[in-house]
Amino acid sequence: MFSVDVAETSLPVIDLPRTKFNRPYLPRTVAGNTSTRVAGGEEVEECRKSVMNVSHQFPYICMIQGQCSDHTTSSAQLPCDMIGCDLVTFEAKLHKYSPTVADFVKSFVGCFTTSEWQAINNDASSLPRSDDSILKEFYLRWAMKEAYTKALGVGMNVDFDSFETRLIGHDVDSTNVDGVWKASDGIWGSIIKNMKHDESNGQVKHQFSLVGQVIRTREQKSDVVLPGPKWDGEYWVFTFLPLVDDGLSNSSKQSDDTASSSCVCICKGPFNEEAVTSSDSKQHHVIIESLTLLELIQLHGMKAV
């Protein structure tokens, strides 16, 4: 354990402004480089060149920053000025009211649609998953939904069962919104399979991206108005980054599919169909930098004592 000597801080501490839904954002500094975000009747002007989002779950903190395209792009590329992330740890909070993994997960049944709930509980053979598989699928499905609502800027202020997240090529075969869900080995199985067969170099090796659609299933009970998507032409990219106890997962350390203790899900969009199907999927990968708390303190010119 160590503490920080605030007197030794060489950089100022900045308190970022927040929206009515408590989302921090970077305000505009140069005229013209702004993105007006509308959510629940509120408008904020933030720096579109540096849209950011934060998530934390002990012992990790994740911050993402997106450099968004100009709004005057071609019809193949919608302005990607929404980005959100959620960090989850594969741990069941067991207590006397939820003594088993099944009991713990079941307490969240009201946050998922019927298809999502079936995917959480059943494998590719439509048989019940193991406790470990259920836990991972539950957290990854939750992370997708929360990363999406954080990208919209409303976070937990919406009913999670009022929309459904679908991964194209994983949950459904095509972009047909009425398509039938197919059974699979789960998102985590796809992540592990991808990591074992990915021989590329650099940061891309430790992440897995899929294009998804978000379908509105019912009206909101709350007064929060979702600012999209339009359902008939917008798509979102979900990127998964598995973590181990000492940071980003490494295939040389990963002997089985239980090695990672946590995972980050990043939701980025919106895109239209042409943008996500006509270009190299590697364009959706993110640049990763991993720092320990001590390294972060030193980076900001502070002294750990």
Side-chain angles (χ1 to χ4, degrees), residues 122-297:
N122 300 320
D123 63 15
S125 301
S126 297
L127 297 175
R129 297 186 186 276
S130 66
D131 282 355
D132 182 72
S133 181
I134 288 177
L135 199 61
K136 284 185 168 65
E137 191 72 7
F138 158 71
Y139 273 118
L140 293 174
R141 295 279 175 185
W142 176 277
M144 288 173 59
K145 293 172 86 76
E146 185 165 345
Y148 166 72
T149 60
K150 290 175 71 175
L152 294 182
V154 294
M156 301 293 293
N157 294 281
V158 296
D159 303 321
F160 270 29
D161 66 329
S162 67
F163 64 93
E164 181 174 278
T165 55
R166 298 181 176 186
L167 295 175
I168 299 171
H170 185 278
D171 296 326
V172 292
D173 287 323
S174 69
T175 59
N176 179 9
V177 296
D178 296 320
V180 178
W181 275 59
K182 60 181 183 179
S184 72
D185 288 328
I187 300 174
W188 187 251
S190 296
I191 293 173
I192 296 303
K193 182 179 179 180
N194 175 77
M195 292 181 65
K196 288 181 177 179
H197 291 86
D198 189 353
E199 301 298 331
S200 59
N201 296 319
Q203 304 287 6
V204 172
K205 189 170 185 178
H206 305 299
Q207 54 189 281
F208 178 57
S209 296
L210 282 172
V211 175
Q213 284 183 303
V214 182
I215 310 302
R216 186 170 297 176
T217 57
R218 66 168 178 80
E219 293 298 321
Q220 286 286 320
K221 293 179 181 178
S222 65
D223 59 357
V224 176
V225 179
L226 292 182
K230 298 181 178 64
W231 319 121
D232 60 355
E234 295 182 357
Y235 297 82
W236 300 80
V237 173
F238 294 92
T239 299
F240 300 92
L241 291 80
L243 305 174
V244 292
D245 289 340
D246 57 350
L248 292 171
S249 63
N250 187 306
S251 58
S252 64
K253 300 177 183 178
Q254 218 163 339
S255 57
D256 55 50
D257 65 359
T258 62
S260 293
S261 61
S262 308
C263 189
V264 177
C265 177
I266 298 173
C267 178
K268 181 173 59 173
F271 300 92
N272 60 24
E273 185 173 6
E274 184 179 355
V276 297
T277 59
S278 63
S279 55
D280 184 2
S281 62
K282 291 292 190 295
Q283 72 168 330
H284 301 303
H285 285 100
V286 297
I287 299 173
I288 305 169
E289 182 176 2
S290 178
L291 296 174
T292 65
L293 180 58
L294 180 58
E295 290 171 335
L296 183 63
I297 291 172

Side-chain angles (χ1 to χ4, degrees), residues 44-64:
V44 296
E45 290 189 345
E46 62 182 303
C47 179
R48 189 189 341 129
K49 299 297 184 182
S50 188
V51 180
M52 50 83 71
N53 201 241
V54 177
S55 182
H56 55 84
Q57 182 70 45
F58 181 83
Y60 303 109
I61 298 175
C62 173
M63 184 177 75
I64 57 173

Side-chain angles (χ1 to χ4, degrees), residues 93-110:
K93 309 297 191 295
L94 304 183
H95 47 75
K96 66 178 182 179
Y97 300 108
S98 298
T100 67
V101 169
D103 291 328
F104 167 72
V105 173
K106 190 175 180 179
S107 63
F108 294 90
V109 63

